Amino acid sequence: MRVKSFQIRPLTQGDKKWVASVLTENWGSEIIVARGKLHRADALPGFIAIQKEKPVGLIIYRIEAKDCEIVTLNSLEENKGIGSALIDAVKNAAVQVGCKKLRLVTTNDNTMALKFWQKRGFTLVTIYPGALEKSRLLKPEIPLIGIDGISIRDEIELELRL
Ligand SMILES: CC(C)(COP(=O)(O)OP(=O)(O)OC[C@H]1O[C@@H](n2cnc3c(N)ncnc32)[C@H](O)[C@@H]1OP(=O)(O)O)[C@@H](O)C(=O)NCCC(=O)NCCS
C-alpha cells in the first residue's frame, strides 16, 4: 500500500481566499448552480487536502435535512488519491449526521468525471435534458462549450448509497 503524502482537514475561515481563487479559476466564480438552485460555495463546509504545507485539493458540500450533496470537487495534483480521499471525508461527515445517500450533479460534457464517480460507486440516477438553459439564467458566465468541445446542455445526477 502506498503511503499518503497529503493530509485532509476541514476548511477554516483562514482558507477563504484560497477557496475563492480555486472556485473562480475552475468554475468561473464562487457561485455554483445545480438543479435550478444557486449556491455560494465559499460559504459552505468542505475539506482541503494539504501536501507539503500547500493546498492541493478542495471538496465543498452541503447538508440540508439529511440531504447531502457534493457541490464541487477539485484536485490540483491528480492521480495521487487526493480526489478519492476528499470524497471519503464528505462520506464520513454525511454518515455522522445520518445521511443515507450522497448525491451530486455534473454536466454532460464532463465524461472524465462520469468515469471517476462511477468507479467510486456512484450511479447515474437522473438526466435533466436542457437544464443548463435555466442554470445560465442564474449564472450567465457558464460557457456554452465545455470539455472536449462538447456543448454543455444537460445535468446528470449521480448518487451513492451510504
Ligand atoms: C476528478 C478529479 C477530482 C479526480 O481527482 P484525483 O485527485 O486525480 O483523484 P484520485 O487520484 O483519487 O483518482 C484518480 C486516479 O488516480 C489513481 N490513483 C489513486 N491513488 C493513487 C496513487 N496514490 N498513486 C497513483 N495513482 C493513484 C486512481 O486509481 C484513479 O484512477 P481511476 O479513476 O481510473 O480509478 C480531478 O481530475 C479534477 O479536479 N477534475 C477537474 C474538476 C472536476 O471535473 N471535478 C468533478 C466535478 S463533477
Side-chain angles (χ1 to χ4, degrees):
M1 209 174 106
R2 259 181 281 245
V3 180
K4 262 202 290 177
S5 61
F6 57 87
Q7 287 83 43
I8 305 288
R9 64 156 174 80
L11 285 175
T12 65
Q13 275 298 110
D15 300 316
K16 260 198 156 234
K17 219 169 140 188
W18 178 78
V19 168
S21 73
V22 172
L23 293 171
T24 304
E25 213 161 288
N26 291 279
W27 306 107
S29 75
E30 296 99 319
I31 290 168
I32 303 291
V33 176
R35 304 298 318 112
K37 279 196 188 156
L38 184 151
H39 305 290
R40 284 279 323 212
D42 57 339
L44 292 171
F47 292 92
I48 186 169
I50 306 278
Q51 188 172 42
K52 292 186 190 146
E53 293 173 36
K54 246 183 56 197
V56 288
L58 172 68
I59 194 163
I60 291 182
Y61 66 98
R62 59 182 201 95
I63 297 180
E64 242 177 72
K66 301 206 173 163
D67 172 35
C68 182
E69 177 182 1
I70 294 176
V71 177
T72 65
L73 171 64
N74 288 98
S75 170
L76 310 185
E77 293 273 344
E78 293 180 314
N79 303 322
K80 293 181 176 173
I82 291 169
S84 304
L86 287 166
I87 296 168
D88 285 345
V90 173
K91 270 199 233 172
N92 290 338
V95 167
Q96 269 175 29
V97 295
C99 297
K100 299 281 182 253
K101 58 188 185 183
L102 184 54
R103 60 184 189 87
L104 67 100
V105 174
T106 189
T107 48
N108 63 293
D109 62 312
N110 203 346
T111 53
M112 201 281 282
L114 287 175
K115 179 189 92 161
F116 176 81
W117 293 115
Q118 289 185 82
K119 286 186 82 169
R120 275 143 198 88
F122 286 76
T123 56
L124 277 61
V125 285
T126 317
I127 298 178
Y128 299 94
L132 269 290
E133 270 180 43
K134 197 171 167 196
S135 300
R136 286 193 187 92
L137 297 177
L138 297 169
K139 184 177 173 181
E141 62 267 38
I142 299 175
L144 291 169
I145 306 294
I147 299 167
D148 292 329
I150 301 171
S151 295
I152 315 178
R153 278 185 308 259
D154 318 313
E155 287 184 344
I156 300 169
E157 187 160 13
L158 295 99
E159 75 176 33
L160 175 77
R161 298 222 156 256
L162 296 169

